[in-house]
Amino acid sequence: MSSGGVIEHFSYIVTVFLMVAGLFIVIARGNLIKKLIGLSIFQTSVYLLYIAPGKLLGGTAPILAPQYSIYSNPLPHVLILTAIVVGVATLALGLALAVRIREAYGTIEEDEIVARDNAIEDAEGAGS
Amino acid sequence: MGRPGGGIIETIIINVLLVFMVLLVLALIRTRNLFAVIVLSGLYSFLMATVLVALDAVDVAMTEAAVGAGVSTVLLLGALNLCKSEEAKTAKRPWLPLALSATTGVLLIYGAMGLPDFADPQAPIHQHVAPRYLQNEVDIPNVVTAVLASFRGYDTLGETTVVFTAGAGIIALLRRRKRDTDAK
Amino acid sequence: MQNDLVLRVVGKLLIPFILLFALYVLFHGDFGPGGGFQAGVIFATGIVFHALIFGLDNTRQAVPDRLVESMLAGGVLIYAGVGVAGLLLGGNYLDYFVLDKNPVIGQHRGIFWVEVGVATTVSSVMLKIFYMFASRGQREGKEE
């Protein structure tokens, strides 16, 4: 049933854009908090990927009432509902790791952390 | 399908909201100040919640507004306060990540073109288990709650366990032992 | 922020209604949008609001850490306990039809307790995470 038009697939194109933007933030930015926000944007794009195909034009939210007969698909809603809460719990776990890294290294910039690691390794190599 | 033309207006509203999201993400990528980035990501979550309402996912929209814009903004600000990192540094040459992301994006869009059209009632997603869920076998009007707690009870038990595990992990990471504070 | 009169008054007025709204979302989840996940998060935000306005120490006295930690595990246990109740009454694990003579009422009962379990765990996890981040900042501030 695919006609392959851009308008019919606009929601997918936006989903892919958000996903790729999240990926870009994760790999191109060195700051750990910015990386985690990129990760959460990536995750939000997955919500759209699941929910948008379940929509029916002229339909209503899947709360049954006698005056309506067309409902959007409830299954993606269930899957994403739990994913959001798990997402914030894992985001908090990532932030906790970032806080611990800040305490151990004094920075949350990736290149500075790597530089410090290398400096420590060099010092150990010279000492032994 | 109610009024004629209602579907077109619905599509336009959804697509305009999606364009807003694209613009917001572009701004978010370019912003360096972390405080501004966190505020923008809260804004992004509210916009996402609006899109979800337009897509009839009211339960999900409620969760996204409370979680994405509420709790995660508070947590991000708390972490920013602890990290005392004001500004993300300028990346030197983001050409390789940009090329990688663009290639992935083009491939994914090429694949997405083969998916069913937006809101196509004949799409496989509407033919499989959804009609049975909508028959209201357990006599609960909100189908999402019925599926969440009853039909897919095992899923939700697993998700609750994941949330519990994440909480336990954070307690393990951020707990201060009394010994440590005494030593200082 | 703790000395701002407007915030304190508005907070005192709003917090009971936020908590009440969370309970409404939990109990009305069968008929309208809502359920355990949303209710848990809204309940936690109400208490986080209290902590932001009246200070973390006051909130920790009102909602002690020990209570939050037992709720953390208690929610999962309530959920798993509903499954065990189904087993004891002669059904399968997480089978709600056996929870009452009338299978439909049994479903309602099962779904209600499952949602209560989810809300308990989610609210306490969110609250505990906030406590951990906020108290760490407080102590660092004192050390400097």
Side-chain angles (χ1 to χ4, degrees):
Chain A
M1 286 292 161
S2 174
S3 64
V6 172
I7 301 297
E8 288 84 359
H9 291 87
F10 188 70
S11 70
Y12 294 116
I13 294 173
V14 172
T15 306
V16 169
F17 174 80
L18 296 179
M19 198 176 275
V20 167
L23 182 72
F24 175 77
I25 295 178
V26 172
I27 53 183
R29 297 287 181 254
N31 189 293
L32 292 181
I33 289 185
K34 186 100 191 243
K35 265 181 199 286
L36 282 167
I37 289 175
L39 211 56
S40 68
I41 288 177
F42 196 119
Q43 196 185 19
T44 338
S45 77
V46 179
Y47 308 162
L48 267 188
L49 181 70
Y50 268 65
I51 304 267
K55 166 78 181 161
L56 281 175
L57 289 180
T60 179
I63 294 169
L64 302 176
Q67 50 284 40
Y68 297 103
S69 57
I70 306 171
Y71 300 101
S72 293
N73 194 334
L75 184 57
H77 302 184
V78 176
L79 301 177
I80 295 308
L81 185 62
T82 51
I84 291 177
V85 179
V86 170
V88 73
T90 48
L91 173 76
L93 196 65
L95 287 173
L97 278 171
V99 167
R100 290 306 297 255
I101 288 172
R102 162 66 170 64
E103 285 171 4
Y105 287 86
T107 175
I108 50 166
E109 293 286 341
E110 199 181 27
D111 45 350
E112 289 172 12
I113 294 168
V114 173
R116 256 196 82 170
D117 264 349
N118 287 341
I120 292 169
E121 254 177 39
D122 289 348
E124 277 174 358
S128 61
Chain B
M1 287 255 176
R3 322 168 287 286
I8 297 171
I9 292 173
E10 244 182 317
T11 318
I12 291 174
I13 291 174
I14 293 168
N15 286 352
V16 167
L17 287 171
L18 290 175
V19 170
F20 282 161
M21 292 187 76
V22 169
L23 297 178
L24 197 58
V25 168
L26 286 175
L28 213 150
I29 293 177
R30 295 186 58 83
T31 315
R32 299 254 168 243
N33 185 321
L34 284 177
F35 183 77
V37 167
I38 290 170
V39 173
L40 277 179
S41 81
L43 203 62
Y44 174 86
S45 287
F46 268 128
L47 205 54
M48 177 57 101
T50 318
V51 172
L52 291 172
V53 171
L55 290 171
D56 290 345
V58 280
D59 289 81
V60 189
M62 197 173 184
T63 321
E64 174 68 18
V67 168
V71 174
S72 29
T73 308
V74 169
L75 292 179
L76 281 165
L77 286 176
L80 185 68
N81 177 35
L82 288 179
C83 290
K84 298 185 181 68
S85 172
E86 288 280 299
E87 205 123 329
K89 287 165 84 183
T90 341
K92 280 156 213 154
R93 247 179 284 155
W95 297 120
L96 181 65
L98 195 64
L100 195 70
S101 313
T103 319
T104 318
V106 169
L107 284 174
L108 284 174
I109 287 174
Y110 175 71
M113 284 302 176
L115 289 172
D117 288 351
F118 178 69
D120 178 2
Q122 299 302 316
I125 186 173
H126 298 299
Q127 308 296 325
H128 191 46
V129 288
R132 172 146 184 223
Y133 287 151
L134 289 170
Q135 279 168 8
N136 200 11
E137 283 172 44
V138 297
D139 191 33
I140 282 185
N142 187 353
V143 184
V144 174
T145 302
V147 177
L148 182 94
S150 183
F151 290 94
R152 293 189 158 255
Y154 282 87
D155 272 23
T156 313
L157 178 59
E159 305 273 11
T160 315
T161 317
V162 171
V163 173
F164 167 74
T165 314
I170 289 160
I171 295 175
L173 276 171
L174 290 185
R175 185 184 49 189
R176 272 193 206 270
R177 291 182 194 83
K178 282 189 179 141
R179 195 158 38 83
D180 288 356
T181 42
D182 289 347
K184 277 172 189 171
Chain C
M1 218 194 280
Q2 291 175 32
N3 296 322
D4 195 323
L5 182 70
V6 177
L7 273 179
R8 287 177 81 98
V9 172
V10 171
K12 264 184 196 160
L13 279 175
L14 271 182
I15 287 167
F17 287 104
I18 294 176
L19 299 183
L20 192 67
F21 179 63
L23 292 177
Y24 166 77
V25 167
L26 174 62
F27 296 134
H28 201 256
D30 295 358
F31 310 102
F37 285 98
Q38 294 94 328
V41 174
I42 294 171
F43 200 84
T45 45
I47 298 173
V48 168
F49 188 35
H50 184 275
L52 289 176
I53 291 174
F54 297 101
L56 186 65
D57 295 329
N58 290 328
T59 310
R60 276 190 139 158
Q61 276 178 356
V63 188
D65 276 280
R66 179 169 289 217
L67 176 71
V68 176
E69 275 167 23
S70 22
M71 277 166 68
L72 200 76
V76 181
L77 287 178
I78 291 174
Y79 199 134
V82 175
V84 175
L87 279 182
L88 291 178
L89 291 169
N92 291 319
Y93 192 72
L94 288 178
D95 181 355
Y96 309 144
F97 285 117
V98 295
L99 293 179
D100 194 274
K101 279 173 198 158
N102 183 345
V104 170
I105 294 177
Q107 281 284 342
H108 283 249
R109 196 168 281 175
I111 289 173
F112 172 74
W113 283 106
V114 160
E115 297 277 12
V116 169
V118 169
T120 312
T121 294
V122 169
S123 63
S124 55
V125 166
M126 297 297 155
L127 202 57
K128 187 69 193 170
I129 293 170
F130 174 76
Y131 276 3
M132 299 307 282
F133 276 101
S135 66
R136 209 172 177 82
Q138 229 177 19
R139 289 208 189 137
E140 266 199 355
K142 277 177 195 166
E143 278 166 22
E144 279 171 9

